[in-house]
Amino acid sequence: MTNPLRDPQDLRLPRVAGPSAVVLFGVTGDLARKKIMPAIYDLANRGLLPPGFGLVGFARREWENEDFAQEVHDAVREHARTPFREEVWRQLSQGIRFVAGDLTDRSSFDLLRSTLDELDRARGTLGNHAFYLSIPPGLFPVVVQQIKATGLAERKPGAWRRVVIEKPFGHDLASAEDLDSVLADVFTPDEIFRIDHYLGKETVQNILAVRFANEMFEPLWNSNYVDNVQITQAEDIGIGGRAGYYDGIGAARDVIQNHLLQLLALTAMEEPLNFGPEQVRLEKEKLLAAVKVPDDIGQHTARGQYATGWQGGIPVRGYLEEDGIPPDSSTETFAAIRLDIDSRRWAGVPFYVRTGKRLGRRVTEVAVIFKKAPRLPFGEASVVDSADNALVFRIQPDEGITLRFGSKVPGSAAMEVRDVTMDFQYGDSFVDASPEAYERLILDVLLGDPPLFPGAREVDISWRILDPILDHWSTQGQPPPYASGGWGPASAYEMMSRDDRVWRRP
Ligand code: BG6
């Protein structure tokens, strides 16, 4: 049931979720503790959850409701964005329940069902249930089948049920399609919410605002003026305690298949007819379908594995020395790929995407790099020490936008031109701090608002882009090492110099 108090057309009004319960599978995982549970508290703290809200944890732990509530409490105290307020916590904790159970055990799901019934009665959650699968994807089919078998997915008049899944959505096109059919057996497309947390970031949504709410950028947004686009997601951390998840997945599946291809789609897509989910997805799908992988994959991609090195003055281990990583692992922790877009707008403009762990610093940005001025009229005495003009969406951590252009150095008699920047910083222009991506996305799930969730087709097309590259790499043995704290392997620089270009140093 949608919230009767909310006009879905008017997004300026506070969007408050209606009565509902979230069933969280995978409560002991990192994501649940660091992101999901804190985001639920932050929503409650911002007054965006109703009094009739429940959170049900499901795990193989001998916990009572109070034990799980304590876990949530600790996660909130440690990771919530907003201050801890006793009265908010008291209200939220009254709707917390725990089901000690096994994912493969039917009786555990019967227990879940009776717990939800009790919650509906005691807290007024009205039978509206979101099943949040923060678990390894290999377990999705069994959980979805259990939900079906226990009748938890049955449609009841006036109530909704939704399923939320976290990536990876498969590990290639074939497995992604298998996953689609597992989900489609139980849920309709509008009941399935695939989380790509990058789409929940304000700075990512702002790409579309800047492109389509202004008149001055869009005329330049094409191959007449743009030389290339560089999308970077760099992290200074290693894989930490995530060996089990990361090894065998690697940088391209972990980040490029989802976050970076979504950034690429938002940067390059045509203007949608409107901002409804169908139209936005349609434009993203069209764009992704036009993406071409270079014929000579070996020349236009690079991968690497971090080796020992120094980060912030501290010696760090290489990937192969990390706990839980087999010493002969060929999983890449750095990936860079050139992609082209087969459209009139983008013909001849390469899009470079790269991601890596243990790089120089944590930064995500989309840099649109413009062509050079066709001639310089300043005469021989001039000194033009200017790189290319660029518009850079600084996605994180220093959120904002930078415009870089050449400018006259004051005082010099001859025309001396150097690069300067104009910067927009969120903190300078807006009073409110941006919510965490998970706050926005969880609220959207509870409200049934799908625009920020990739559809099945987008996911499948993204795999179609990545599969040939992954197949090629799988024949190439171990990825070359790169020093921790640097900017990736030599092959990453070489692929750019083949195109007569260089990577931006973020
Ligand atoms: C996740 C990846 O999806 O995104 C992680 O699984 C990565 O490996 C993370 O660290 C990066 O997210 P953010 O928001 O910190 O850029």
Side-chain angles (χ1 to χ4, degrees):
M1 194 174 70
T2 49
N3 184 346
L5 298 176
R6 197 174 79 85
D7 171 1
Q9 299 305 315
D10 191 348
L11 297 179
R12 291 165 308 174
L13 297 174
R15 303 160 71 237
V16 181
S20 48
V22 171
V23 180
L24 184 55
F25 296 93
V27 292
T28 53
D30 241 26
L31 187 67
R33 275 191 310 108
K34 291 191 179 150
K35 297 288 181 187
I36 302 170
M37 299 192 288
I40 288 174
Y41 167 82
D42 286 325
L43 286 173
N45 203 7
R46 292 165 60 204
L48 303 180
L49 295 185
F53 177 79
L55 172 64
V56 183
F58 185 112
R60 217 166 40 190
R61 287 279 195 285
E62 296 296 314
W63 285 347
E64 299 295 332
N65 291 341
E66 299 71 42
D67 303 312
F68 176 52
Q70 186 61 44
E71 292 288 318
V72 181
H73 175 271
D74 295 349
V76 166
R77 289 307 288 247
E78 198 174 342
H79 299 291
R81 181 179 65 86
T82 60
F84 189 81
R85 290 197 293 149
E86 205 52 63
E87 65 275 21
V88 172
W89 171 250
R90 207 172 313 120
Q91 165 79 23
L92 185 65
S93 60
Q94 283 169 12
I96 291 184
R97 303 285 185 277
F98 184 72
V99 174
D102 190 302
L103 296 177
T104 57
D105 172 24
R106 172 65 197 269
S107 64
S108 305
F109 279 77
D110 289 332
L111 191 57
L112 173 61
R113 188 182 176 138
S114 53
T115 304
L116 283 168
D117 288 344
E118 179 272 324
L119 203 53
D120 286 343
R121 283 193 307 274
R123 306 289 303 163
T125 46
L126 298 188
N128 297 320
H129 302 146
F131 300 97
Y132 197 134
L133 275 50
S134 176
I135 50 177
L139 298 169
F140 290 173
V142 61
V143 175
V144 169
Q145 282 310 318
Q146 295 278 27
I147 289 173
K148 181 182 180 184
T150 339
L152 283 166
E154 268 163 33
R155 285 163 197 86
K156 296 193 193 124
W160 54 255
R161 78 267 320 101
R162 295 177 187 138
V163 67
V164 184
I165 56 171
E166 286 281 351
K167 68 177 188 61
F169 310 124
H171 60 269
D172 57 12
L173 176 59
S175 53
E177 286 173 342
D178 289 347
L179 173 61
D180 293 343
S181 53
V182 164
L183 294 169
D185 182 39
V186 181
F187 296 98
T188 59
D190 61 340
E191 291 172 340
I192 302 170
F193 290 75
R194 294 174 182 78
I195 295 236
D196 183 319
H197 78 280
Y198 263 63
L199 297 181
K201 292 181 193 276
E202 286 290 343
T203 46
V204 172
Q205 294 161 39
N206 198 29
I207 295 174
L208 294 186
V210 168
R211 287 192 56 200
F212 300 130
N214 298 296
E215 188 55 10
M216 67 182 170
F217 301 116
E218 209 49 25
L220 306 180
W221 223 251
N222 56 58
S223 61
N224 292 333
Y225 300 100
V226 176
D227 180 80
N228 73 94
V229 177
Q230 299 189 13
I231 302 178
T232 300
Q233 192 266 359
E235 290 179 279
D236 51 0
I237 52 169
I239 55 152
R242 296 168 79 217
Y245 161 80
Y246 198 87
D247 197 53
I249 290 189
R253 286 190 176 93
D254 186 38
V255 172
I256 294 182
Q257 189 271 339
N258 35 74
H259 309 326
L260 298 198
L261 288 181
Q262 286 289 327
L263 288 179
L264 183 147
L266 296 175
T267 305
M269 71 188 225
E270 298 299 319
E271 181 174 311
L273 284 180
N274 57 51
F275 264 64
E278 289 83 20
Q279 294 300 326
V280 174
R281 279 183 189 165
L282 184 68
E283 292 306 336
K284 283 196 284 172
E285 284 169 14
K286 273 164 55 184
L287 189 282
L288 290 170
V291 168
K292 290 274 169 279
V293 174
D295 290 336
D296 195 342
I297 292 174
Q299 301 288 300
H300 297 290
T301 65
R303 62 192 181 123
Q305 220 175 40
Y306 60 83
T308 46
W310 294 83
Q311 207 124 33
I314 298 167
V316 293
R317 284 191 281 188
Y319 182 69
L320 298 179
E321 290 87 50
E322 298 276 22
D323 294 336
I325 299 298
D328 59 350
S329 169
S330 60
T331 300
E332 83 283 354
T333 61
F334 175 96
I337 299 175
R338 170 188 165 141
L339 295 168
D340 291 86
I341 298 172
D342 192 11
S343 69
R344 173 173 287 251
R345 185 196 278 260
W346 294 118
V349 180
F351 282 66
Y352 300 101
V353 296
R354 66 175 161 167
T355 180
K357 305 266 184 209
R358 286 253 183 264
L359 297 182
R361 71 186 187 90
R362 173 172 181 256
V363 59
T364 300
E365 63 168 41
V366 176
V368 178
I369 297 166
F370 292 90
K371 292 185 170 169
K372 289 190 188 303
R375 71 179 281 270
L376 296 171
F378 309 126
E380 286 194 353
S382 67
V383 185
V384 178
D385 179 15
S386 175
D388 309 310
N389 299 160
L391 182 70
V392 184
F393 293 92
R394 304 194 317 266
I395 306 295
Q396 66 189 28
D398 175 24
E399 302 171 341
I401 296 178
T402 296
L403 184 63
R404 189 182 66 191
F405 53 95
S407 191
K408 181 177 179 299
V409 177
S412 65
M415 193 58 93
E416 186 182 350
V417 178
R418 257 192 245 146
D419 276 341
V420 295
T421 58
M422 278 188 343
D423 286 311
F424 149 59
Q425 313 267 9
Y426 274 74
D428 293 346
S429 302
F430 298 112
V431 179
D432 288 337
S434 295
E436 271 279 324
Y438 274 91
E439 292 171 48
R440 172 68 197 265
L441 295 176
I442 293 170
L443 184 60
D444 281 3
V445 168
L446 298 177
L447 290 166
D449 267 355
L452 296 182
F453 299 84
R457 222 175 99 72
E458 282 167 75
V459 172
D460 294 350
I461 303 173
S462 303
W463 281 119
R464 205 168 290 151
I465 296 169
L466 215 56
D467 278 356
I469 298 170
L470 294 168
D471 286 349
H472 172 80
W473 287 349
S474 70
T475 63
Q476 302 296 303
Q478 205 96 5
Y482 61 91
S484 288
W487 285 97
S491 51
Y493 294 91
E494 287 156 16
M495 68 175 259
M496 289 303 256
S497 55
R498 267 179 216 115
D499 288 358
D500 264 337
R501 295 195 176 88
V502 287
W503 288 110
R504 261 174 60 79
R505 177 61 73 90

